[in-house]
């Protein structure tokens, strides 16, 4: 026969002790409550002090429990804030990258605008320019330095005309075809440009050396100092280049001959202005025809 499911408390001594302890705690709680009630009625001040002592004893426990609860409750919010900060950081980085691209484009447009304005002002200042054309290529791998212009004899380009850019002199036309022209750059070893120094008018010539640089050589003055930073412009001598066009700046101080860097770097140019020669070639005089010798009349 199966034992009954429910036993009386007397079946187990442990159960008896548990029941007895419950009764004792209940009676003690009722007695303490009655005592506190009597104290609050008879002496409210003593009860108030006792209540303050209870608050002092339980406040640290309550504060610790609240701190633990706040920490546990803030874990989900902290995780959400972390992932939110990560996504916000990514979004800000993407915006910064887009802003950097826009800033770079704005700088390029500003630089191109300034260059075109300079070229337009140069065209306005130049006396009867022939045409503004594009430099389509240059011979950078050879000791000879030429550039090709996408304008030729059909556009009025002729041999001997100077070519200049927004920053200075580029070279001169040496060969033409109907729609193209070959430009001898001033950095070519065969190029010689008469110049003068801006600060004192010292006469010199600028000759190319074939490596992207030029040499400034004094003319008519012996042992003349050429200082770094001296600027040389065309003098107009020779009748090809108009005076006052920037040509080169001395890069190292020397005497008589000094290296210099040109203002118009051909590798960084795209548009150029073709001008008429400063002094046009003299028109040859017609050869007078021979006067026939009169024959004497027959008698």
């Amino acid at each position: 026969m199966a034992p009954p499911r429910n036993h009386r408390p007397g079946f187990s001594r442990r159960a008896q002790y548990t029941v007895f302890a419950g009764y004792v705690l209940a009676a003690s709680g009722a007695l303490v409550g009655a005592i506190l009630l009597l104290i609050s009625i008879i002496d409210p001040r003593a009860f108030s002090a006792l209540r303050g002592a209870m608050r002092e004893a339980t406040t640290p426990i309550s504060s610790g429990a609240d701190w633990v609860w706040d920490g546990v409750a803030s874990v989900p919010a902290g995780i959400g804030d972390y992932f939110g900060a990560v996504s916000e950081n990514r979004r800000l980085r993407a915006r910064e990258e887009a802003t950097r691209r826009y800033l770079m484009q704005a700088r390029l447009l500003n630089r191109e605008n300034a260059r075109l304005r300079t070229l337009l002002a140069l065209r306005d200042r130049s006396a009867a320019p022939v045409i503004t054309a594009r430099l389509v290529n240059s011979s950078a791998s050879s000791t000879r330095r030429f550039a090709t212009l996408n304008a030729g004899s059909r556009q009025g380009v002729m041999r001997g005309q100077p070519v200049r850019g927004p920053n200075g002199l580029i070279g001169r036309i040496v060969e033409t075809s109907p729609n193209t022209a070959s430009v001898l750059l001033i950095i070519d070893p065969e190029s010689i440009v008469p110049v003068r120094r801006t600060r004192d008018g010292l006469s010199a010539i600028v000759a190319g050396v074939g490596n992207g640089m030029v040499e400034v050589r004094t003319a008519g003055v012996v042992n003349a100092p050429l200082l770094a930073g001296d600027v040389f412009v065309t003098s107009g001598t020779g009748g090809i280049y108009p005076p006052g066009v920037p040509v080169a700046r001395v890069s190292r101080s020397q005497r008589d001959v000094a290296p210099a860097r040109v203002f118009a770097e051909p590798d960084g140019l795209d548009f150029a202005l073709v001008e008429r020669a400063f002094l046009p070639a003299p028109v040859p005089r017609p050869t007078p025809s021979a006067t026939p010798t009169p024959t004497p009349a027959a008698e």
Side-chain angles (χ1 to χ4, degrees):
M1 180 176 178
R5 296 181 179 180
N6 297 325
H7 299 281
R8 293 178 301 170
F11 181 80
S12 173
R13 189 175 296 276
R14 180 180 297 177
Q16 293 176 357
Y17 288 156
T18 302
V19 173
F20 178 74
Y23 290 155
V24 171
L25 290 177
S28 300
L31 179 60
V32 170
I35 293 172
L36 293 176
L37 179 61
L38 290 175
I39 293 174
S40 63
I41 296 174
I42 298 173
D43 192 357
R45 291 183 179 181
F47 183 77
S48 177
L50 182 61
R51 187 167 52 191
M54 291 297 295
R55 284 198 305 268
E56 292 292 334
T58 57
T59 296
I61 300 175
S62 300
S63 299
D66 290 340
W67 179 81
V68 172
W69 175 253
D70 292 339
V72 173
S74 64
V75 170
I79 296 175
D81 292 341
Y82 171 76
F83 287 104
V86 170
S87 61
E88 181 70 13
N89 190 16
R90 291 175 180 174
R91 187 176 63 83
L92 291 177
R93 286 181 179 273
R95 180 182 298 178
E96 182 182 1
E97 185 65 24
T99 304
R100 186 181 294 111
R101 290 197 300 268
Y102 293 148
L103 181 60
M104 186 179 301
Q105 293 176 0
R107 288 177 177 174
L108 292 176
L109 291 175
N110 189 21
R111 188 179 304 169
E112 180 70 10
N113 189 21
R115 189 185 63 82
L116 293 177
R117 285 179 179 273
T118 305
L119 188 61
L120 181 60
L122 174 63
R123 183 185 180 94
D124 293 338
R125 291 194 303 267
S126 301
V130 177
I131 192 172
T132 301
R134 184 185 293 273
L135 292 171
V136 294
N137 59 55
S138 62
S139 57
S141 61
S142 173
T143 56
R144 301 302 306 275
R145 302 303 302 271
F146 293 92
T148 302
L149 201 70
N150 67 343
S153 57
R154 291 182 179 178
Q155 290 78 30
V157 179
M158 299 175 59
R159 182 179 180 181
Q161 292 176 338
V163 182
R164 60 188 296 188
N167 298 327
L169 187 66
I170 298 174
R172 71 176 188 273
I173 303 295
V174 293
E175 187 178 332
T176 62
S177 60
N179 294 302
T180 61
S182 180
V183 181
L184 178 68
L185 302 176
I186 61 175
I187 57 177
D188 185 86
E190 299 296 327
S191 173
I192 295 178
V193 181
V195 295
R196 60 179 176 83
R197 190 160 54 185
T198 55
R199 63 184 175 92
D200 58 1
L202 175 68
S203 297
I205 60 173
V206 168
V209 293
N211 60 355
M213 301 282 289
V214 295
E215 285 183 348
V216 178
R217 306 170 184 172
T218 59
V221 180
V222 180
N223 205 23
L226 299 173
L227 304 179
D230 283 349
V231 175
F232 287 84
V233 298
T234 54
S235 62
T237 305
I240 297 179
Y241 306 105
V245 180
V247 179
R249 176 185 285 111
V250 175
S251 58
R252 187 172 64 250
S253 299
Q254 291 185 183
R255 290 186 177 273
D256 290 337
V257 180
R261 184 173 297 276
V262 297
F263 285 103
E265 295 285 349
D267 296 333
L269 296 173
D270 49 2
F271 286 97
L273 184 68
V274 181
E275 297 180 331
R276 302 185 187 279
F278 178 53
L279 296 177
V283 179
R285 295 181 179 180
T287 304
S289 59
T291 305
T293 304
T295 58
E299 297 181 351

